[in-house]
Amino acid sequence: MSDLFDTANAAERRAASILVERLRSSEAVSRADLNAAMTEGFGGSDADGLWTQRDSFEILEHALAHHLQFGPYPLLSLTDVCAACDLLDRLPTQTVRSEEQIEWQQFSTPVDLAAIAFVLADIQADDIILEPSAGNGLLVAHCRDYAGLQLNEYTAPRRARLTHAFPDAVVTGHDGATINSTLADAPRPSIVLMNPPFSRSVGLGPDSHAAVRHLQAALRRLQPGGRLVAVMPDWFGPNARMRDLFETTLRDVSVRTSVRLEKCYLKHGTSIAVRLFVIDKVVGGTIPVTIQRGSIRELLGALTVPERSAITTVSPPAPKRSSGLSLFRAVKSTRAAPRPYPAPVRNNVLPVGYTTLEAPAPLLDQVGVYLPYRPSRIVFEAAGEHPTALVESVAMGSIAAPIPEYVPKLPERTVSERLLSASQLETVVYAGHAWSQFLPGRFVPSKEGVGLEETQEGRAYRKGYFLGDGTGAGKGRQVAACILDNWLQGRRLNIWVSKNETLLEDARRDWTALGGLAADIQPLSNWKIDQPIMLEQGVLFITYPTLRSARGDHSRLQQVIDWAGDDFEGVIGFDEAHEMGGVAGGEGALGPKEGSQQGICGVLLQNHLPGARILYASATGASDVNNLAYAVRLGLWGPETAFANREQFITGIRQGGIAAMELVARDLKALGLYTARALSFAGVEYEILRHELTSDQIAIYDSYADAWGILWRAAHKMAYREEAVMRRSAA
């Protein structure tokens, strides 16, 4: 097999050599010239099956990459780009596209667009250049004087061509959306030139945010003060539909230039419009007005090259040049002088180090009805304290959690840089501890209602975990950490359910703070209700109102269940879980009421995914025992409990009042299924402001109180209510 590959590579190089000679002349390269070069190089025509028309365009790009390294025209200013436009005019139009190219919506960078990107990058001799999706190398082919060149390309054939065309470069084959971690050992670049795939990601399949994933990863990888020049899809801009994603992606950098080009890809066989951004990794600066033109020639007079920002870290040395010789490169070359540099920052995924305590940690001094919070059974090796002091009630603080056995795996910097406090890390440990257990018995979902029926033919249901922290404890960050732990252990399908769509950006903020990409979290609204969800890996964001919605024979609930599959074992994080309260119905102010539809759908989602790792997060989940009816994974009722079913549990605990609810919470904590912390009021200062009511204000208040008394005495009967309103109107 290796002989066949060597033969194919040799044929490609022979064809490329012929095309390079043609490019050096001032004559146009026609389709006939291209076919003749391929036939001579491969020893036969495309009719013989030795190559395809798409292959011929790939080899033409390979030849262009070689040709441009000779510097066929000066490229010192924007006016020099006209020579690149002339070269593009000499090339044939690429009329054939491969299925892969169409699927990924990735087109190589036209020569003139690459030239203008090069000029705008303002590359210096001490720069390290990275191209995360290098293709055949056209975007970096103009670069010659630099300290280092890093080329990353996922597809093997193009990667082989890059190695041949750029022997000085370090060539890798990672997913461009993960280069911040996969290239952690390499020197960080000060320049990034990129043209990412627009509509498909590795592992995700069709992905409308693929380009944003690549851009976010590249920005993370770029040195502070460095410059990134990116070709992006036309939709990525400050428009109404994408404004939030656009501003979130660019909030910590400065956009120096924003361009929209309508017809610059005609020679590459498509009329798509694209955007070109020049971005410096420095905070501040407003987004400039977008310059819109039809072609590169029309654009030149409207641009200026932005001044580079200062690099704030020591640049690493140039990678060692390859000893291999290129057919098209001079034998003599000057190596960059070595310079000192700090060791690369690693961020390996490691087990979270902690030791357990046989005897619970001693209680701290009680203040009122609260105890200062401390993990009762765990001492972490590197975690820090929570930014603000946490407390828990005396009743809860007097109960120690069980000794856990679960050890989460997180990026080492997440722990060492204290992105999670000890209290938040404790949640990740105990959530994993709970998810390693199963409820007693085997069940199947009831054909009617929201219950489970016990049967030997059923399946085991994984236990859940309840996070009852109050405001300020960082519930969103803890939900994200639990998902990240499972993500890094290979469970790449997860669900985040929250109150409304505006909380999507909060979820992305917490996820990216721990090292994820904002585009990892995709809202369910990206797919129509009658379409399958095309998300091969990621976090599906759902709102409770969306989960309960249906149209005709289609429902969002069934759409999610079909996507997850019977073997789903990822995390389902029910943020603001009290939104499912009232699933069992009950007695309301106006009489009996049915269960809430979003609560019913939330329980049905749990019932149909028995292997899911359920995480309930709510600060007000137990205000009424009936509101705990959605927490079907805590083992509050059923086999081996004091209550045969949910109804008996609700009735029994309600009769016991608040004391019984407190016992339930204490028992859950003792089992390692529940925790509830709140911010301490220590150090809080307050001042009483007294407002003296005037006689007119007192009269108004008395009038309202009298009217309300009339309505209350009417006992909610319509006839009396109308009479009360009429009397009040007459007064």
Side-chain angles (χ1 to χ4, degrees):
M1 290 295 292
S2 60
D3 291 341
L4 292 177
F5 287 128
D6 291 342
T7 301
N9 289 338
E12 287 188 358
R13 291 170 185 175
R14 284 195 299 270
S17 299
I18 297 169
L19 289 171
V20 167
E21 292 302 322
R22 183 73 179 183
L23 290 168
R24 287 175 178 172
S25 70
S26 59
E27 299 178 6
V29 180
S30 65
R31 284 290 298 275
D33 296 328
L34 184 57
N35 291 342
M38 292 294 291
T39 300
E40 183 175 345
F42 282 81
S45 68
D46 57 338
D48 299 325
L50 298 178
W51 51 274
T52 66
Q53 287 295 318
R54 182 60 230 169
D55 291 336
S56 68
F57 293 121
E58 290 283 320
I59 302 305
L60 175 60
E61 293 179 1
H62 184 41
L64 272 170
H66 280 295
H67 174 59
L68 293 175
Q69 290 182 78
F70 281 99
Y73 42 78
L75 203 53
L76 303 177
S77 65
L78 289 169
T79 55
D80 294 332
V81 176
C82 291
C85 298
D86 295 337
L87 174 59
L88 183 67
D89 291 340
R90 293 168 48 203
L91 302 179
T93 300
Q94 298 189 19
T95 55
V96 179
R97 289 181 282 176
S98 66
E99 292 183 3
E100 180 186 36
Q101 188 180 15
I102 296 171
E103 182 181 32
W104 287 73
Q105 282 295 291
Q106 184 177 30
F107 299 90
S108 297
T109 311
V111 174
D112 55 350
L113 182 57
I116 207 166
F118 168 80
V119 175
L120 291 173
D122 192 15
I123 298 172
Q124 307 299 319
D126 59 348
D127 278 321
I128 295 177
I129 306 169
L130 167 66
E131 220 289 45
S133 301
N136 286 315
L138 292 183
L139 188 54
V140 295
H142 291 98
C143 304
R144 284 178 291 280
D145 297 325
Y146 48 76
L149 182 61
Q150 302 169 358
L151 302 179
N152 183 74
E153 171 55 40
Y154 189 72
T155 59
R158 288 183 166 186
R159 194 161 60 246
R161 297 186 196 113
L162 289 173
T163 303
H164 178 240
F166 301 92
D168 297 341
V170 176
V171 181
T172 55
H174 305 295
D175 173 14
T178 65
I179 56 171
N180 188 42
S181 57
T182 53
L183 296 182
D185 290 341
R188 293 180 67 181
S190 54
I191 292 286
V192 175
L193 300 174
M194 63 185 300
N195 179 6
F198 285 2
S199 61
R200 191 174 180 86
S201 291
V202 176
L204 291 178
D207 179 9
S208 58
H209 294 87
V212 181
R213 290 176 180 275
H214 286 246
L215 178 62
Q216 291 171 337
L219 285 172
R220 289 176 182 273
R221 187 75 194 132
L222 184 65
Q223 288 190 50
R227 172 161 293 182
L228 182 149
V229 182
V231 180
M232 295 292 288
D234 188 33
W235 54 259
F236 185 69
N239 52 67
R241 185 170 67 93
M242 288 296 170
R243 180 177 297 276
D244 289 343
L245 181 58
F246 180 79
E247 293 180 349
T248 300
T249 302
L250 303 176
R251 63 187 172 192
D252 296 326
V253 298
S254 296
V255 179
R256 303 302 191 193
T257 304
S258 175
V259 175
R260 182 176 185 269
L261 291 162
E262 294 181 341
K263 299 178 181 179
C264 66
Y265 267 83
L266 292 179
K267 279 285 187 176
H268 283 240
T270 179
S271 59
I272 62 169
V274 297
R275 293 183 184 248
L276 181 68
F277 293 96
V278 179
I279 303 169
D280 285 352
K281 194 173 180 179
V282 292
V283 178
T286 58
I287 297 176
V289 175
T290 299
I291 302 170
Q292 182 166 319
R293 294 293 188 274
S295 67
I296 296 296
R297 289 186 189 275
E298 298 172 11
L299 177 66
L300 296 178
L303 285 181
T304 57
V305 179
E307 184 178 352
R308 288 279 300 274
S309 302
I311 302 296
T312 57
T313 58
V314 179
S315 300
K320 184 178 180 181
R321 289 181 179 265
S322 168
S323 58
L325 298 178
S326 168
L327 177 63
F328 305 101
R329 184 173 66 86
V331 175
K332 293 183 179 180
S333 62
T334 303
R335 300 189 182 209
R339 288 170 285 141
Y341 69 104
V345 178
R346 295 179 179 271
N347 195 23
N348 297 325
V349 176
L350 298 174
V352 176
Y354 68 85
T355 56
T356 58
L357 303 175
E358 289 295 332
L363 298 177
L364 302 177
D365 294 336
Q366 178 178 340
V367 179
V369 296
Y370 292 103
L371 286 170
Y373 183 77
R374 86 285 181 243
S376 58
R377 294 284 193 179
I378 298 176
V379 178
F380 290 100
E381 295 176 2
E385 294 298 321
H386 200 72
T388 52
L390 298 178
V391 297
E392 59 181 342
S393 67
V394 173
M396 292 294 292
S398 61
I399 298 296
I403 298 176
E405 297 180 353
Y406 179 77
V407 180
K409 293 183 178 180
L410 293 171
E412 58 180 316
R413 287 166 58 192
T414 301
V415 180
S416 63
E417 296 182 5
R418 301 186 176 184
L419 302 180
L420 292 170
S421 67
S423 300
Q424 293 171 328
L425 274 174
E426 184 189 30
T427 297
V428 183
V429 172
Y430 277 105
H433 175 78
W435 294 334
S436 64
Q437 307 170 55
F438 289 82
L439 298 173
R442 303 180 71 85
F443 307 90
V444 295
S446 300
K447 295 182 179 179
E448 295 183 1
V450 293
L452 293 173
E453 297 177 359
E454 189 175 7
T455 172
Q456 290 299 320
E457 290 73 33
R459 297 178 60 182
Y461 278 69
R462 193 184 302 275
K463 282 187 178 181
Y465 185 79
F466 200 114
L467 177 61
D469 287 351
T471 301
K475 290 192 295 295
R477 181 71 63 93
Q478 295 174 77
V479 173
C482 290
I483 294 176
L484 179 61
D485 172 34
N486 283 271
W487 180 284
L488 295 175
Q489 299 192 49
R491 293 180 281 273
R492 296 296 178 92
L493 295 182
N494 297 277
I495 299 173
W496 191 317
V497 190
S498 196
K499 186 175 181 179
N500 52 51
E501 288 286 355
T502 59
L503 295 176
L504 169 62
E505 291 309 315
D506 289 350
R508 284 175 167 164
R509 177 202 62 207
D510 291 322
W511 178 250
T512 55
L514 297 180
L517 299 176
D520 290 332
I521 302 180
Q522 295 296 325
L524 178 60
S525 56
N526 281 354
W527 294 271
K528 295 180 180 179
I529 195 171
D530 57 349
Q531 294 178 339
I533 300 172
M534 304 302 293
L535 186 64
E536 296 179 15
Q537 66 176 28
V539 181
L540 188 65
F541 184 87
I542 311 170
T543 66
Y544 293 104
T546 301
L547 186 62
R548 73 172 185 237
S549 62
R551 188 180 69 218
D553 296 332
H554 303 283
S555 70
R556 287 295 193 181
L557 173 63
Q558 190 59 49
Q559 185 185 28
V560 174
I561 293 173
D562 292 341
W563 168 76
D566 292 337
D567 58 348
F568 179 82
E569 293 188 344
V571 175
I572 302 181
F574 287 104
D575 196 10
E576 308 288 351
H578 52 268
E579 291 292 316
M580 295 186 290
V583 61
E587 192 71 25
L590 300 178
K593 61 180 182 180
E594 297 181 354
S596 69
Q597 284 301 309
Q598 62 190 33
I600 290 172
C601 289
V603 172
L604 289 177
L605 181 61
Q606 300 174 62
N607 289 351
H608 284 83
L609 302 175
R613 289 163 162 79
I614 304 298
L615 176 61
Y616 310 105
S618 172
T620 58
S623 56
D624 182 83
V625 65
N626 196 46
N627 288 342
L628 278 179
Y630 62 81
V632 298
R633 296 292 188 91
L634 297 181
L636 297 173
W637 56 84
E640 301 183 17
T641 69
F643 306 99
N645 52 47
R646 182 181 58 197
E647 289 72 21
Q648 289 187 16
F649 169 77
I650 292 174
T651 301
I653 300 301
R654 180 171 284 155
Q655 290 175 352
I658 190 65
M661 286 291 295
E662 189 175 87
L663 287 175
V664 170
R666 287 160 59 93
D667 286 348
L668 287 175
K669 181 181 178 183
L671 293 171
L673 304 179
Y674 178 71
T675 188
R677 289 85 47 112
L679 291 184
S680 170
F681 287 100
V684 174
E685 298 180 356
Y686 63 91
E687 180 181 353
I688 297 176
L689 297 178
R690 185 182 300 276
H691 174 70
E692 297 292 343
L693 295 176
T694 66
S695 57
D696 290 340
Q697 290 172 331
I698 293 173
I700 292 173
Y701 180 84
D702 290 342
S703 179
Y704 275 114
D706 291 341
W708 181 250
I710 294 171
L711 292 173
W712 182 83
R713 287 191 295 273
H716 302 289
K717 294 181 181 179
M718 186 58 66
Y720 292 104
R721 183 182 300 166
E722 291 176 355
E723 179 183 350
V725 173
M726 291 174 64
R727 289 174 58 188
R728 176 66 191 139
S729 299

